[in-house]
Amino acid sequence: MESVQQPHRVRMTPGARRVLAAAERLFYERGIHAVGVDLIAAEAGVTKKTLYDRFGSKEQIVVEYLAGRDERWRERLAGHLEAVAGRGPDARIVAVFEASRAWALEYGRKGCSMINANAEIGDPSHPAHPVITGQKRWMLDLFTGLAREIEPAGADGLARTLMLLHEGALVAHGVGVFPDPFGQALEQVRHLLGNGAAATGGASLR
Amino acid sequence: MESVQQPHRVRMTPGARRVLAAAERLFYERGIHAVGVDLIAAEAGVTKKTLYDRFGSKEQIVVEYLAGRDERWRERLAGHLEAVAGRGPDARIVAVFEASRAWALEYGRKGCSMINANAEIGDPSHPAHPVITGQKRWMLDLFTGLAREIEPAGADGLARTLMLLHEGALVAHGVGVFPDPFGQALEQVRHLLGNGAAATGGASLR
DNA sequence: TGTCCACTATACAGATCTGTATACTTCTGC
DNA sequence: GCAGAAGTATACAGATCTGTATAGTGGACA
């Protein structure tokens, strides 16, 4: 479950760093297809030659964009989890949602970059596809591990419910249909955990 | 079944119908930006002149694509709700999720067209933007109306939780991180309703 | 017979896209 | 002093994009 931090496929020179920073901002704000390499190079204050010398293709910039954002998210999440170290799995599950809420307020005006990229990249053979599915799988595994500490029997079911609430809050935030969806998710999560943990794997209720 | 059928901004000649059918399939399967008007015209067996004579712009085709899909979804949903007519709000809420599950299995291999389009469009001044937000607002209003029949006090909170589970299942289905997310959502919804309805709007819990 | 109407066929304008080529500069380390 | 790495500047190839222009076809209907 430790992320295997594979080395960057890209030499991160100062120019490359500026390219990636510009690409992250532009891709997230306007979408991947809507942003061309000329614009990225111009915003980064770099020539296209430098851009292609470092990254080789636009696809690779997309991969680095998503992988980098995922990495920053995991670091951020780790900080929130450290803050409740020693406390039980309930507190850590709540901490995940609180981390997402803080992240969404700070970085997430346009929703989840992974969900958005998944919508733009129909083709599963795109090199960014594993980054996207890997990130979502990682989140599900995280929830599953925490759920197992609460009730090993129904852990998968609880984890999937948490995943639904989390993804739902991400997309609701992106569409903006009602305010503070993570607040709503948190309320529901606290309620589920307080009740002795929601629908388990089996055929529901007492 | 009678949806309010506001007049199309487009004369739906046989050629226009084929254009829209091809656009719906291609936009959903490959994404909006990834599909050009030349391809749409070719797949529809129509010249570009016909396409532009009918729709005027690609943007307008996108609007018709989303509005048409929304209309079909509402008709489908109406059918599922009629099947439980006379029964209580609980049964109708469950019926909504069952309708989404059936829809996703049939039309939804790539997730929710509204969520995907919202990810691709970025710009809120795009004419398709109101179609997207309108559809999500309509779903939230639907849940709110049903929730009000269960408990007027906490209706907004219950509706938002249902919305989170529903959007979460849509996006989980699109990413494919675990199988049958609507089944999981249904389980959780039945549990919430069976328990006397979950976290209410206010600062309810213990 | 004549007039719409939907449509075909084809060509092209003009912009933008990803990616490459050539030649030169600037800085660093040995 | 000099090699190599990183970058600038500029031009261009080749494809694809949205959208338009011109000319003609075939059927319905009065």
Side-chain angles (χ1 to χ4, degrees):
Chain A
M1 213 150 299
E2 271 322 283
S3 75
V4 190
Q5 197 60 296
Q6 51 191 339
H8 278 262
R9 296 134 291 242
V10 169
R11 189 114 36 91
M12 285 306 267
T13 62
R17 239 176 287 272
R18 293 207 305 280
V19 166
L20 196 50
E24 283 186 24
R25 184 171 50 79
L26 291 166
F27 283 159
Y28 185 67
E29 213 66 30
R30 308 189 194 179
I32 293 169
H33 273 113
V35 172
V37 288
D38 291 277
L39 178 60
I40 295 173
E43 293 275 306
V46 190
T47 61
K48 270 206 301 180
K49 176 138 196 330
T50 298
L51 184 150
Y52 274 98
D53 282 349
R54 291 298 127 240
F55 293 89
S57 70
K58 183 183 176 182
E59 273 190 347
Q60 191 58 43
I61 300 179
V62 174
V63 169
E64 297 293 335
Y65 153 58
L66 293 173
R69 216 175 146 98
D70 182 28
E71 195 180 328
R72 281 217 310 278
W73 155 246
R74 294 189 197 189
E75 284 167 10
R76 171 78 159 244
L77 178 58
H80 278 252
L81 287 175
E82 274 175 33
V84 295
R87 297 176 59 192
D90 298 39
R92 275 144 72 209
I93 288 172
V94 166
V96 174
F97 280 82
E98 276 170 347
S100 279
R101 174 149 79 164
W103 174 275
L105 287 177
E106 189 172 349
Y107 292 100
R109 200 153 46 89
K110 297 266 179 178
C112 172
S113 58
M114 300 292 165
I115 293 175
N116 293 353
N118 190 57
E120 280 205 73
I121 295 176
D123 185 12
S125 72
H126 192 290
H129 196 260
V131 180
I132 297 166
T133 56
Q135 204 271 341
K136 293 305 179 193
R137 197 179 316 276
W138 187 88
M139 284 298 294
L140 181 59
D141 288 346
L142 173 71
F143 282 131
T144 303
L146 291 168
R148 225 187 306 268
E149 292 185 42
I150 295 177
E151 43 163 1
D156 284 356
L158 174 56
R160 289 174 179 185
T161 293
L162 293 171
M163 193 76 182
L164 290 185
L165 289 169
H166 191 256
E167 298 300 302
L170 282 170
V171 71
H173 182 82
V175 178
V177 68
F178 63 86
D180 192 21
F182 282 103
Q184 181 66 35
L186 266 166
E187 217 168 90
Q188 186 60 34
V189 165
R190 287 205 185 89
H191 184 262
L192 289 181
L193 299 176
N195 263 5
T200 58
S204 69
L205 36 164
R206 53 218 67 206
Chain B
M1 197 65 73
E2 221 44 38
S3 70
V4 189
Q5 198 63 297
Q6 53 188 340
H8 278 263
R9 292 135 296 241
V10 169
R11 188 114 38 90
M12 286 306 268
T13 61
R17 238 176 287 274
R18 293 206 305 279
V19 166
L20 196 50
E24 283 188 24
R25 185 171 48 80
L26 291 167
F27 283 159
Y28 184 69
E29 213 66 29
R30 309 191 194 177
I32 292 169
H33 273 114
V35 172
V37 288
D38 291 277
L39 179 59
I40 296 172
E43 293 275 305
V46 176
T47 61
K48 269 207 298 182
K49 176 124 191 350
T50 298
L51 185 150
Y52 274 98
D53 282 348
R54 292 299 128 240
F55 293 90
S57 70
K58 183 184 176 181
E59 273 190 348
Q60 190 59 42
I61 300 179
V62 174
V63 169
E64 298 292 335
Y65 153 58
L66 293 173
R69 215 173 147 98
D70 183 27
E71 195 181 327
R72 280 216 311 277
W73 156 245
R74 293 189 197 188
E75 285 169 11
R76 172 76 162 245
L77 178 57
H80 277 251
L81 287 175
E82 274 177 33
V84 296
R87 297 177 57 191
D90 297 39
R92 275 142 72 209
I93 288 172
V94 166
V96 174
F97 280 82
E98 277 170 347
S100 278
R101 175 150 78 166
W103 175 275
L105 286 176
E106 189 172 348
Y107 292 99
R109 200 153 45 91
K110 298 267 181 177
C112 173
S113 59
M114 300 292 166
I115 293 175
N116 292 354
N118 190 57
E120 279 204 74
I121 284 175
D123 184 14
S125 72
H126 192 288
H129 196 259
V131 180
I132 297 166
T133 58
Q135 203 270 342
K136 293 306 180 191
R137 197 178 318 275
W138 188 87
M139 285 298 294
L140 181 58
D141 289 347
L142 173 72
F143 282 131
T144 304
L146 291 169
R148 225 188 304 270
E149 292 185 42
I150 295 178
E151 43 162 2
D156 284 355
L158 174 56
R160 289 174 180 185
T161 293
L162 293 172
M163 192 77 180
L164 290 184
L165 289 170
H166 190 256
E167 297 302 302
L170 281 171
V171 72
H173 182 81
V175 178
V177 67
F178 63 87
D180 193 21
F182 282 102
Q184 181 65 35
L186 267 166
E187 216 167 274
Q188 186 60 33
V189 165
R190 288 205 184 90
H191 184 261
L192 289 180
L193 298 176
N195 262 5
T200 59
S204 65
L205 34 164
R206 55 250 162 115

